[in-house]
Amino acid sequence: MDLLVRHAKEMGIPLSPRQVEAFHTYRRELLEWNKKFNLTAITQEEQIEVRHFLDSLTCLVAMREVCGPPGRERRAGERLRLLDVGSGAGFPGVPLKIVCPRWRVVLLEATGKKVRFLEHLRDVLGLADLEILHGRAEDLAKDPAHREQYDWVVARAVAEMPALAELTLPFARLGGKVIAMKGETAEAEVAQSGRAFTVLGGELVKIVKIALPGLVEERRLVVVRKAACTPDAYPRRPGIPAKRPLK
Ligand code: SAH
């Protein structure tokens, strides 16, 4: 885990020996399950460290740039709530939970076999209070236990920004924020999202640019603030946000 440890430290995220051990276990289980199910196309050990683990942790850099040290805006004793929409094999939600164990992290995933992997991972990593939900964002966002409840909603590789806004913004509390993890298409996707942001109550805060070691393509994290409540009509029925994006 040298690459992860060194570059996380450079990002201001020192990892404890226990956390490094957890990332070892995560990689081992990911590669093991990947023999049976297609969980990731990235199978080189160092690539997993950079493209999955380190990339997930860039959310912490974006949070710090926007709000100062993560969690600072919460009152003492209150735990920060974070939702990962379309978590897949756990990115970025599980690395964030490993590094920030006190946060209430919830993973939402629509595919059953990925949910089973996430549950297995939770057990082997001993992350007892990691919540894993099997379902679609369009449905869960109607549930008052989850709608407008989260300080941070994060997503990577789930949909283009206009559709992704509809799958994420309904979950953010007023003043809460969405982080859409993007590559070099970030600006173009944001340019297409003006109507979606307006309709759903979002407001672009900033696009945080981060270089990952050894990768040519720069990572871009689109941070959107929930400035107004999302109207009850959104999100629309499952599949509609992607089929007929608000543009
Ligand atoms: N975030 C992970 C997985 C990306 S693949 C990563 O970056 O590695 C996209 C994942 O989102 C898939 O696992 C898919 O099942 C899930 N997904 C897509 N649309 C969804 C929706 N509307 N609700 C919940 N999960 C969804």
Side-chain angles (χ1 to χ4, degrees):
M1 287 292 149
D2 291 354
L3 268 180
L4 173 66
V5 170
R6 180 154 44 93
H7 292 288
K9 194 169 176 197
E10 279 168 17
M11 283 181 185
I13 309 164
L15 300 176
S16 72
R18 272 187 63 184
Q19 288 167 340
V20 175
E21 184 59 35
F23 281 110
H24 266 290
T25 305
Y26 193 172
R27 183 172 62 190
R28 186 191 70 217
E29 295 301 321
L30 179 67
L31 289 173
E32 191 57 36
W33 279 58
N34 209 42
K35 292 178 190 162
K36 296 173 277 177
F37 307 120
N38 181 23
L39 289 172
T40 177
I42 297 168
T43 54
Q44 267 192 311
E45 296 205 333
E46 294 198 336
Q47 291 288 303
I48 291 176
E49 284 178 61
V50 174
R51 288 177 183 260
H52 283 326
F53 298 160
L54 197 61
D55 192 43
S56 295
L57 298 183
T58 61
C59 287
L60 299 173
V61 176
M63 291 175 175
R64 208 169 46 208
E65 278 213 16
V66 171
C67 295
R72 201 176 58 180
E73 57 175 29
R74 299 303 278 167
R75 274 176 279 140
E78 223 177 325
R79 294 169 70 201
L80 182 147
R81 294 191 71 172
L82 178 138
L83 175 70
D84 180 9
V85 173
S87 191
F91 308 113
V94 175
L96 294 173
K97 178 66 180 174
I98 289 171
V99 171
C100 306
R102 281 195 36 78
W103 291 4
R104 288 179 62 182
V105 173
V106 179
L107 312 179
L108 171 62
E109 172 51 49
T111 304
K113 66 174 188 181
K114 294 182 180 177
V115 169
R116 281 189 291 282
F117 172 72
L118 293 171
E119 288 168 346
H120 167 76
L121 193 61
R122 174 184 57 194
D123 295 345
V124 294
L125 293 177
L127 300 172
D129 70 344
L130 175 66
E131 204 178 325
I132 299 161
L133 301 171
H134 183 194
R136 295 197 59 126
E138 294 92 325
D139 296 319
L140 192 78
K142 304 287 183 190
D143 180 341
H146 296 281
R147 189 178 181 88
E148 308 207 314
Q149 296 297 314
Y150 290 89
D151 302 296
W152 294 94
V153 184
V154 295
R156 187 181 80 163
V158 174
E160 288 198 7
M161 199 64 233
L164 189 62
E166 191 169 347
L167 300 176
T168 53
L169 273 168
F171 293 105
R173 66 168 170 83
L174 272 185
K177 288 165 203 79
V178 169
I179 301 179
M181 303 178 68
K182 295 287 178 185
E184 287 173 350
T185 61
E187 282 80 2
E189 292 188 40
V190 166
Q192 298 257 296
S193 304
R195 173 147 179 268
F197 290 170
T198 305
V199 169
L200 300 164
E203 183 184 81
L204 178 69
V205 178
K206 127 182 239 188
I207 300 176
V208 179
K209 299 181 181 178
I210 298 174
L212 285 185
L215 296 197
V216 180
E217 196 194 339
E218 191 180 58
R219 302 294 292 149
R220 298 190 185 162
L221 281 67
V222 179
V223 184
V224 181
R225 199 177 90 91
K226 177 82 162 254
C229 286
T230 301
D232 287 344
Y234 300 97
R236 292 164 293 169
R237 285 182 292 113
I240 303 297
K243 202 183 298 171
R244 284 195 275 121
L246 293 167
K247 279 190 189 170

